Amino acid sequence: MQTGNQASPVVVSRSGAVGIIELARPEKFNCLSMSVHEGIEAALDEFERPGSGVRAILIRAQGKHFCTGADLDEVKSLRGDPASLKHFIAYGHGVLKRLERSDLPVVAACQGLALAGGSELMLACDIIFAAKDARFGDQHAQFGLIPGWGGSQRMPRIVGLRRGLDLFFSARWIDADTAGQWGLVNYVVEPEQLGEAALAYCTKLATRSRIGIATMKRLARQGMEGSSEAGLQLEEDLASAALLDDDVSEGLAAFEARRTPVFKS
């Protein structure tokens, strides 16, 4: 199903139970504008609605690069209107928070450069596939800027404080293998295998219990935001109810019958 077109900055499509959000501004290195954020949010509205049938989300990009940052032409045009500039930043924050907090697992496939705002988009996703020749970094310091869409908070939480500060201060790029060693990406694959590998992973996720995946994502992300004790208590609070879910009945029956479960949630 194709709900976008090539003239749109975001192309939305489906592959079975996988919802695909494709950045479609290769001539501008897929930089993030208000219209791109709006396109991502519209896709989330579609994929998250009850009965959509979508069970996993894949974010990918056309062209040579995943995303090299914010649309600086748009940023420059907004600098004379502080209220509009603040709205632009706040809107982007809201969209990336939705990716992070979505009940659906969100996977990104990154090729070429993922820099500044592009790395911030990637950081808000759950699982990252990277082409072996991909490069990652934060360019803000090089131009007197600071992260505006969550990078200052998410990067150190994922790679550690000192590594995060090094990336911010130096504005250097790291290669995909280093990003994998640091935990910034999950899988490093050959460039020609990126799209297929990421989609296959999403397709596998789509066979899992939607409720089970959503609950684990909530537990992990909320647990990272608070104390270990609070996270353990949240798990204890949710575990009993989760074990009574119909998907658990199906999973246990499938285990006993030595067959693949078919989840209805």
Side-chain angles (χ1 to χ4, degrees):
M1 180 181 70
Q2 182 81 36
T3 59
N5 57 65
Q6 293 302 312
S8 170
V10 176
V11 174
V12 181
S13 59
R14 293 270 299 269
S15 177
V18 178
I20 300 172
I21 300 173
E22 186 171 65
L23 307 183
R25 305 179 79 197
E27 74 286 352
K28 296 206 70 171
F29 307 125
N30 296 309
C31 58
L32 301 176
S33 63
M34 178 65 81
S35 60
V36 172
H37 285 307
E38 289 171 345
I40 295 173
E41 183 165 57
L44 289 172
D45 287 341
E46 176 186 338
F47 295 156
E48 292 178 340
R49 65 176 173 79
S52 74
V54 171
R55 302 170 76 92
I57 295 174
L58 173 62
I59 298 181
R60 65 190 187 191
Q62 296 179 6
K64 185 177 179 181
H65 301 298
F66 177 70
C67 176
T68 59
D71 187 331
L72 294 183
D73 290 334
E74 189 161 349
V75 171
K76 287 188 289 186
S77 73
L78 293 172
R79 290 187 71 214
D81 184 350
S84 295
L85 182 60
K86 185 171 183 178
H87 174 68
F88 178 62
I89 295 297
Y91 193 91
H93 261 288
V95 171
L96 298 194
K97 285 177 185 175
R98 278 197 63 181
L99 291 173
E100 198 170 52
R101 296 171 183 175
S102 175
D103 283 348
L104 299 171
V106 181
V107 177
C110 301
Q111 77 277 18
L113 298 177
L115 306 175
S119 72
E120 291 179 298
L121 171 59
M122 177 194 75
L123 288 164
C125 299
D126 299 314
I127 302 293
I128 310 298
F129 279 75
K132 195 171 182 63
D133 58 0
R135 298 293 182 268
F136 304 88
D138 188 283
Q139 301 293 97
H140 291 102
Q142 187 171 345
F143 304 103
L145 303 168
I146 67 169
W149 287 321
S152 69
Q153 303 305 301
R154 294 186 179 103
M155 182 72 81
R157 282 172 166 81
I158 291 174
V159 304
L161 178 61
R162 297 195 188 281
R163 285 173 171 168
L165 288 176
D166 173 47
L167 289 179
F168 294 149
F169 295 168
S170 69
R172 70 186 180 100
W173 301 351
I174 59 173
D175 60 27
D177 285 336
T178 301
Q181 293 165 11
W182 287 12
L184 185 60
V185 307
N186 300 87
Y187 299 95
V188 178
V189 300
E190 294 299 327
E192 64 273 15
Q193 297 173 348
L194 177 65
E196 181 180 351
L199 182 58
Y201 184 88
C202 289
T203 301
K204 186 173 184 178
L205 291 188
T207 68
R208 308 297 193 209
S209 163
R210 179 169 176 168
I211 292 175
I213 290 285
T215 304
M216 284 189 288
K217 179 173 175 176
R218 177 186 171 192
L219 284 168
R221 289 204 173 274
Q222 287 191 211
M224 290 292 290
E225 294 171 1
S227 69
S228 174
E229 186 60 35
L232 289 170
Q233 185 60 57
L234 180 62
E235 180 184 290
E236 182 180 333
D237 292 343
L238 295 178
S240 297
L243 285 170
L244 298 175
D245 189 80
D246 289 342
D247 278 356
V248 173
S249 299
E250 167 60 12
L252 293 175
F255 177 79
E256 291 177 355
R258 292 180 170 80
R259 62 172 175 81
T260 300
V262 179
F263 297 112
K264 300 292 179 63
S265 67

